[in-house]
Amino acid sequence: MRSVMVQIPNTPTSADVARLAGVSRATVSYVLNNTSAVRISEPTRRRVHEAARELGYVPHAAARSLRAGHSRMVLMPAPAIPVGPLYSAFLNELQQALGRLDYTVVQYGTVGLHADEAARAWAELRPVAVLVPGVELGPRGVENLKRSGARAVVTLGPVRVDGAHALLMDHDAVGHRAGTHLLARGRRRIGVVVPEEPGLEFYSRPRLAGVREALRGTDAAVTELPLAYTEQSAGRLAARWRESELDAVFAYNDEYAMLLMRALQDEGLRVPEDVAVIGADDLMLGRLLRPRLSTVRIDLPSGRDLAELVDRAVRDPGGEPEVRTVLGASVIRRESS
């Protein structure tokens, strides 16, 4: 039997990078670990990075964690609900900002796990920080994560969780702006779309409450409109529209608004003459419709600001949790309303 010898290429080390760049191993470590306590000239930094790229050197995450006393992994549980373009752009900006601060961002799916059970699964990965969208975490889950070594737990959602930093998103304000706008346009029989997709009630219910609050004490009435994100569901709702006598709709967001607006037009209803329509998120597609879609523009926190909050919390894990209300909302009026 013939034997074949396979040569396994040597894995480049920090010593190889140091030799090629003409610096010490300590300098390589300072540069590649983005250490700010030691002053390194910009030309030296460039030589180290160029040498690392040329050799294909990748720092060992476990070794870095041992030296630092903690990992550099920021875990982001994958959202259990549909996310639109606005939130996706925010996540991309956040990941880039964390990367510039030398953190490794990992999105982790825990399908079928919820609240404290999901937190235990996240804790097994020993992240240094966890960013939790929505309401999938309770105080016990925060405690479990901190015991496992997480220095920062940050929630993004409508309510605060004890022990965690919180970016509160005031979705009531989104509905309030939409309701105030429709009322000012002379509409008095206003429908509010409540998506039937699981998980979205954490956002749709506050938006519905915001519309109700905007119309409180007026002669206008609010009708709740359950709607699944399908053409068939939109068609059934549009077919019943005339008998409902509604003259306006806040359609939860731009995607549901576009879906419903097309179904209404297919039924022969004119927008905005018969039905005023407003969405939320200010997506580009809404500007391409005819008539152009009115919307509530939502201002999410900047990814850079959130990344800096994470970094501060990692550096000072014993500090008081920060709580901020971060979601701004303003109406952009176009032809549909």
Side-chain angles (χ1 to χ4, degrees):
M1 176 184 286
R2 291 180 55 194
S3 63
V4 178
M5 181 176 292
V6 178
Q7 184 174 1
I8 300 175
N10 293 327
T11 301
T13 67
S14 61
D16 298 325
V17 177
R19 279 192 294 272
L20 184 58
V23 299
S24 68
R25 288 186 68 178
T27 298
V28 171
S29 177
Y30 294 144
V31 171
L32 297 183
N33 289 314
N34 203 25
T35 303
S36 58
V38 179
R39 187 177 181 83
I40 307 290
S41 70
E42 193 55 38
T44 299
R45 287 183 182 277
R46 281 200 299 271
R47 286 207 313 276
V48 170
H49 284 297
E50 287 168 2
R53 280 196 297 271
E54 182 176 336
L55 292 171
Y57 173 73
V58 178
H60 196 291
R64 293 173 68 186
S65 298
L66 285 173
R67 286 193 298 269
H70 56 78
S71 78
R72 300 293 291 178
M73 180 200 300
V74 177
L75 188 145
M76 296 179 62
I81 61 174
V83 296
L86 182 70
Y87 189 70
S88 295
F90 163 68
L91 290 181
N92 288 339
E93 181 188 357
L94 172 60
Q95 291 186 64
Q96 290 171 6
L98 285 168
R100 286 192 291 270
L101 291 171
D102 199 35
Y103 292 96
T104 298
V105 180
V106 174
Q107 282 207 332
Y108 184 46
T110 47
V111 176
L113 300 181
H114 301 285
D116 297 336
E117 189 180 6
R120 283 193 294 272
W122 306 334
E124 289 179 6
L125 298 180
R126 299 296 190 266
V128 72
V130 182
L131 305 181
V132 187
V135 291
E136 290 295 314
L137 189 66
R140 184 177 297 176
V142 174
E143 186 180 343
N144 287 341
L145 287 167
K146 289 185 173 180
R147 279 204 302 263
S148 74
R151 294 184 164 211
V153 181
V154 183
T155 61
L156 298 88
V159 295
R160 180 183 180 182
V161 180
D162 287 344
H165 301 269
L167 299 183
L168 300 178
M169 297 187 174
D170 183 10
H171 287 272
D172 292 69
V174 177
H176 196 280
R177 299 289 187 279
T180 300
H181 170 71
L182 293 173
L183 188 68
R185 301 302 299 158
R187 308 297 170 147
R188 293 297 181 270
R189 299 180 302 281
I190 299 172
V192 178
V193 165
V194 177
E196 294 183 337
E197 281 62 36
L200 291 182
E201 65 271 12
F202 297 114
Y203 307 99
S204 63
R205 288 294 166 186
R207 294 185 184 191
L208 173 62
V211 175
R212 292 191 192 280
E213 182 59 33
L215 273 53
R216 190 184 304 279
T218 73
D219 60 345
V222 176
T223 300
E224 184 178 332
L225 302 173
L227 177 64
Y229 193 66
T230 66
E231 289 183 88
Q232 294 79 5
S233 181
R236 289 192 294 269
L237 179 57
R240 304 191 305 270
W241 201 270
R242 287 187 174 85
E243 64 188 65
S244 72
E245 298 185 341
L246 297 175
D247 61 7
V249 60
F250 169 46
Y252 174 69
N253 69 10
D254 287 355
E255 292 170 297
Y256 284 85
M258 289 185 275
L259 177 72
L260 181 56
M261 194 163 87
R262 172 51 57 193
L264 291 170
Q265 290 171 327
D266 287 346
E267 284 292 322
L269 290 155
R270 299 168 301 163
V271 177
E273 292 85 356
D274 300 322
V275 187
V277 179
I278 184 169
D281 290 353
D282 191 23
L283 300 183
M284 180 180 292
L285 281 176
R287 301 169 220 166
L288 303 180
L289 292 181
R290 294 298 181 270
R292 294 177 177 86
L293 181 64
S294 294
T295 190
V296 180
R297 178 181 176 83
I298 296 175
D299 298 314
L300 291 171
S302 78
R304 184 180 63 185
D305 287 347
L306 180 50
E308 290 173 353
L309 166 60
V310 170
D311 192 47
R312 283 197 304 275
V314 168
R315 293 172 186 273
D316 182 21
E320 282 295 313
E322 295 187 33
V323 179
R324 304 184 206 163
T325 300
V326 295
L327 188 147
S330 57
V331 169
I332 297 180
R333 177 187 163 191
R334 300 194 182 100
E335 292 94 331
S336 71
S337 64

